[in-house]
Amino acid sequence: MTNIPEPAWFPIALRLDDVRVLVIGGGMIAANKVRLLLAHRAKVEVVAGRLDAEMQVWAEDGSITHVASTADDTTLRTIMPGCRLVYAATDDRAVNRTAAALAQEMNIPVCAVDDPQPSTFITPAQIHRGLVRIAISTGGAAPVLARRLREQVESTIPDGTGELAVFMQQQREHVGAACPDISRRRQVWETFLDGAGAQAARRGEIERARAILDDIIASTGTRGEVWLVGAGPGDPDLLTLRALHLMQNADCVLYDQLLSPALLDRVRRDAELVFVGKRRNKHTMPQQEINAELVRRARMGQRVLRLKGGDPFVFGRGGEEIEALLDSAIPFQVVPGITAANGCAAYAGIPLTHRDCAQACMFVTGHARADGTLHLPWDSMARPGQTVVIYMGVSALPALCAQLMTHGLPADWPAAIVERGTRADQRVLTGTLGGLARQAADAGVGSPALIIVGEVIRHRVISP
């Protein structure tokens, strides 16, 4: 297979004012590119035998220069010299490739539309809101996908975002003088964007926006805050909008072992990442030290994100951390996350309750004591009519299954284990209490994994 060099991106911030750009083609494909170039104030020359209606209007009002000719070699060799960019945008791939080869011969960057092989640059799908420019690209591989993503992103951008950008540009020097410390300056702007100030700027209420900004500057101190955030069971798409927002605002992130790299990729790039995770029999940082670190950093004025897998208050020691923050008078927020029981069961196709066999659901932790013993409410767990979900129980799986059978559940009672639940590499093993431990050992199941016990497993459904 021939390796095709990946085309470079079209530089979205490139200043094209009065720069000559050649567009070959007079139909809809070419018009789409011309519209973008005119927005960047380029000097556009179009080579085409005829123009569609929109292009004809641009030619008549002088927005573009129309060269009424076919894209033959002589015409292109006459016009191309002095052009900074070339778009081959006809509906004939052979014509586009011939023009692209000529542009490369002249060392002029060229884009053959929807054909990355002869192109030396590509143009991402773009969103314009005044000073705000957002570009989305698939590297030329799937332009329709890029356009669809642009539509989705565009629908989330509020009206007036361009006006907001202008206001912030005009206030940069004022805020910089009032807040010479970069961390405090960032907090001022983020507080402004999250509140009524940004809304006023979008509506063009400049005096009100400026008053709100000044109030924020006057009231913003160096006092920090801690955010306890549940990151969900693994799939980054299960993050809540609130969690994602705080991940983008945090100065530092204290995170656990169970979090996937894909989740951490959504944290603000310049935030400090501090691993405090716990592995079985090996604590990177004891809980008391984690509590102290949260307090210490908040007192330094940092916005501290304590990012936990699942939900902070479901076997996440969030309660202990909140008590430490309260004792030290540190302000905090708690953002719930989808706990592993809900997420893993749903992705495995196992209902946690079912009116035919499970009218209750119990969550327990299978984490053994220091001496290796398990102290769980076995009599309450070993009952029909309910589902039992066991967190952190992989290493104790043989003992868990044995105790449930000892306390009354039969050996053929349904049981399952979900490894790396909700992730792309999720594995689900279904069986019985009498055989699940052996199945898991033979399959090499490891943490993180969740154990589900109950007749609901017989109602498991797998999407076709």
Side-chain angles (χ1 to χ4, degrees), residues 424-437:
D425 56 350
Q426 170 181 289
R427 285 199 300 173
V428 182
L429 301 180
T430 60
T432 63
L433 286 177
L436 188 64

Side-chain angles (χ1 to χ4, degrees), residues 85-156:
L85 298 172
V86 172
Y87 281 93
T90 75
D91 56 5
D92 188 325
R93 175 166 286 198
V95 171
N96 291 347
R97 289 196 167 190
T98 298
L102 181 58
Q104 291 194 45
E105 178 186 321
M106 296 183 180
N107 292 319
I108 303 172
V110 60
C111 173
V113 177
D114 287 345
D115 190 6
Q117 183 171 358
S119 302
T120 57
F121 76 91
I122 57 176
T123 306
Q126 299 179 29
I127 299 169
H128 295 179
R129 291 289 192 276
L131 296 176
V132 178
R133 297 284 192 272
I134 301 172
I136 299 171
S137 174
T138 60
V144 174
L145 173 61
R147 289 196 292 272
R148 181 60 55 83
L149 292 173
R150 180 198 65 194
E151 294 169 6
Q152 294 174 1
V153 173
E154 195 161 23
S155 67
T156 67

Side-chain angles (χ1 to χ4, degrees), residues 7 12 38 60-61 81 97 106 112 120 140 146 180 200 226 249 312 315 338 344-345 362 370 376 416 419:
I12 187 65
L38 293 178
E60 291 173 356
D61 68 15
R97 289 196 167 190
M106 296 183 180
T120 57
V226 174
N249 283 353
F315 304 125
I338 296 175
C344 296
M362 177 184 292
L376 294 173
E419 181 186 37

Side-chain angles (χ1 to χ4, degrees), residues 402-425:
Q403 286 285 358
L404 288 172
M405 289 187 288
T406 297
H407 286 79
L409 290 180
D412 62 355
W413 195 251
I417 187 164
V418 183
E419 181 186 37
R420 298 184 296 272
T422 77
R423 301 184 188 181
D425 56 350

Side-chain angles (χ1 to χ4, degrees), residues 3-65:
N3 290 323
I4 301 172
E6 183 176 336
W9 270 44
F10 175 83
I12 187 65
L14 180 68
R15 295 184 63 86
L16 296 178
D17 304 60
D18 295 325
V19 170
R20 284 185 64 206
V21 179
L22 176 62
V23 177
I24 302 165
M28 181 184 67
I29 298 172
N32 290 337
K33 301 305 176 186
V34 170
R35 193 178 301 109
L36 170 67
L37 292 165
L38 293 178
H40 285 270
R41 297 182 292 277
K43 186 176 181 180
V44 181
E45 299 178 27
V46 177
V47 173
R50 58 178 296 278
L51 301 176
D52 73 1
E54 186 177 22
M55 297 270 273
Q56 187 63 45
V57 171
W58 290 331
E60 291 173 356
D61 68 15
S63 298
I64 63 174
T65 299

